[in-house]
Amino acid sequence: MATTSLPRTSNRSAVIAALLSGADMDRQRLIADTGLSRATVFRIVDDLMAESLALEGFRVLREGPGRQSTSVSFNHRSALVCGVDLGGTNCRVVVADALGRAIIRSRDTTPRDATADELAAWVAGRITDLVDRHGDGVPLHTVTIGLPGVVTGDGRAVVASHNLGQIKGTGFIEKVSALVGVETEVGNDSNLALRGELQYGSLPDRETAVLLAMGTGLGSAVSIDGQVLLSRTGLLGEFGRLPLPGREERLRDLLSGADLVAYARGRGVDVPTARALFADPEAYAPLLSEVHGALAHLVTIVALSYEPATVVLTGGFSESFDTARLAAISDQVADTVGVRSVVRRADLGDSAGLLGSMATSLGRLYDSLGVSAEDAASVAVDRDLIIRRLADCPTSPAAPAAGSGADGGASGNTDATSRTTHDEQMAEG
């Protein structure tokens, strides 16, 4: 029995993977793309249609003998997936179809003063409200939530969170998972941002890369051969905890928005936002010199740790470093330790974490359909389309505050009120 089921499973995986490009294709093209026999492809397509996973499309006209054919496509309405990027400043949510095409998204100010249970209920309420209002009855399959903290490798506990201390432990994860009611995966937001860059950005899959997430806090992630590294404790790459050479301050005190403002004020420099420091480089030259030195030190550490071809920066704070500064830091590190790493801003900006969460949910969905990891990696994803659909899809009005008891998303605020301005993002990181 096992000897016959394994090839059948593998064949089904190959056909689904071919259809996951989202293109309409006839059975002859499926035969050519998968290398399977005509009988096998026809049987699998019939099975997928019976399961509502594939749809019959337009008629394909052919010359010569033989019956005419119709195109086949993957049923993008077979399931919904959700990605959440929960940050210390903002919480972003996207609901997408089974091909990763965004349907609705939201962006709200994170209720940082809420308890763990209140925050979990608020996040879960936001997800279910978006699905109920905009999912058109299609079932939600999987949710992935990126958290601003150290998450254990199995995703079951938060070891620490510098900006959302209430999510530490297992309570928040267990509560939000129970309330959402579908498979829910939780991970570190930096790791998911790197997953987004690998899936939809321009990072080469087979090169070692490091992502530095510089926003309200400071995080990092590393990928080798296209795989984001995870550790048992979740502490891998938590370089923000490292003290600066010969000082009490840590790297995150100078390389994250909120901590830099606090550090500046401790030095007698009263500025409202990190952005204000970079806006007047002459007035704040000594402090900015410390910031640039801290970034060079951090890049040196990751260069020696992983020898990455690329170091990408994401998060609101990272936007303060211009291209010339990043190139200079790359040169400095190469001269100092002999490792040449291109330092640049991420392709996806602050959408990286959201797209990475969505990509992880899609991976879970495809795995449940029997698509192997190898076949999933071969799917011809239209990256530009995915990014464009995220940018163009509607934005839901802002949610009410956590613990308010109001119906999530029914506050009546306009789309504009659900988004912070760029200055506000920089102020809070």
Side-chain angles (χ1 to χ4, degrees):
M1 182 69 177
T3 57
T4 58
S5 63
L6 184 59
R8 290 173 69 92
T9 300
S10 176
N11 294 342
R12 174 186 168 95
S13 172
V15 172
I16 296 177
L19 292 173
L20 287 176
S21 67
D24 286 294
M25 58 181 69
D26 68 1
R27 291 164 177 78
Q28 296 303 320
R29 179 176 167 189
L30 280 173
I31 293 169
D33 287 354
T34 61
L36 300 175
S37 71
R38 180 179 184 277
T40 297
V41 168
F42 273 64
R43 175 183 54 77
I44 293 173
V45 168
D46 288 344
D47 289 345
L48 295 177
M49 286 184 175
E51 299 170 37
S52 298
L53 292 175
L55 300 173
E56 199 91 49
F58 57 85
R59 184 170 295 278
V60 179
L61 298 179
R62 294 187 180 279
E63 296 181 357
R67 72 178 186 177
Q68 299 302 306
S69 179
T70 55
S71 67
V72 179
S73 64
F74 188 81
N75 182 9
H76 63 280
R77 288 174 51 84
S78 57
L80 298 176
V81 297
C82 179
V84 180
D85 183 14
L86 177 61
T89 301
N90 296 303
C91 177
R92 303 173 179 87
V93 181
V94 62
V95 177
D97 66 19
L99 293 174
R101 298 180 297 201
I103 296 170
I104 186 69
R105 61 189 171 117
S106 66
R107 179 172 182 164
D108 303 291
T109 300
T110 301
R112 296 181 64 171
D113 295 330
T115 66
D117 282 354
E118 289 172 345
L119 183 59
W122 181 82
V123 172
R126 199 62 175 126
I127 295 168
T128 55
D129 178 71
L130 292 176
V131 172
D132 289 345
R133 290 174 183 267
H134 305 278
D136 199 25
V138 179
L140 177 65
H141 185 277
T142 306
V143 173
T144 300
I145 304 174
L147 298 179
V150 179
V151 181
T152 54
D154 59 11
R156 296 181 178 179
V158 178
V159 177
S161 177
H162 183 52
N163 296 297
L164 288 177
Q166 67 269 50
I167 68 175
K168 182 179 178 181
T170 61
F172 171 82
I173 294 176
E174 292 171 352
K175 181 75 171 181
V176 74
S177 299
L179 291 173
V180 169
V182 299
E183 180 182 2
T184 303
E185 181 169 347
V186 173
N188 172 264
D189 53 0
S190 299
N191 289 338
L192 290 168
L194 183 52
R195 171 77 183 268
E197 288 290 334
L198 288 167
Q199 186 83 3
Y200 303 115
S202 62
L203 285 176
D205 290 342
R206 297 305 171 190
E207 288 186 359
T208 300
V210 170
L211 178 139
L212 301 177
M214 308 168 72
T216 309
L218 175 63
S220 68
V222 60
S223 66
I224 298 176
D225 289 334
Q227 298 297 315
V228 178
L229 298 187
L230 301 177
S231 66
R232 177 180 58 83
T233 62
L235 290 169
L236 178 73
E238 285 293 313
F239 298 115
R241 296 176 167 222
L242 290 175
L244 290 161
R247 300 171 58 174
E248 295 181 356
E249 291 83 15
R250 302 186 181 200
L251 277 168
R252 69 186 180 206
D253 293 327
L254 290 172
L255 296 178
S256 64
D259 289 331
L260 178 57
V261 170
Y263 174 74
R265 290 173 180 170
R267 295 281 302 271
V269 181
D270 191 12
V271 291
T273 67
R275 182 178 175 82
L277 289 170
F278 288 89
D280 194 349
E282 293 186 5
Y284 303 113
L287 184 57
L288 292 178
S289 178
E290 290 187 63
V291 172
H292 295 150
L295 180 56
H297 183 59
L298 176 55
V299 174
T300 301
I301 292 171
V302 301
L304 288 175
S305 299
Y306 307 111
E307 296 187 11
T310 308
V311 177
V312 293
L313 278 55
T314 189
F317 185 81
S318 69
E319 296 177 14
S320 299
F321 301 99
D322 59 31
T323 302
R325 173 62 61 182
L326 297 181
I329 288 175
S330 180
D331 291 340
Q332 178 183 341
V333 171
D335 291 342
T336 302
V337 298
V339 178
R340 167 65 65 179
S341 301
V342 175
V343 184
R344 63 173 177 82
R345 284 193 292 273
D347 296 314
L348 305 178
D350 64 4
S351 296
L354 192 60
L355 286 166
S357 296
M358 185 191 76
T360 301
S361 289
L362 285 171
R364 289 283 189 172
L365 171 61
Y366 300 159
D367 180 67
S368 74
L369 298 178
V371 180
S372 69
E374 182 179 1
D375 285 333
S378 71
V379 174
V381 178
D382 188 337
R383 301 183 180 192
D384 291 338
L385 174 61
I386 297 297
I387 296 169
R388 187 169 64 251
R389 284 292 293 267
L390 177 65
D392 294 343
C393 83
T395 303
S396 174
S404 68
D407 182 22
S411 63
N413 292 337
T414 63
D415 288 356
T417 62
S418 71
R419 286 169 270 184
T420 57
T421 64
H422 184 265
D423 286 350
E424 289 170 330
Q425 291 177 47
M426 286 303 300
E428 298 177 339

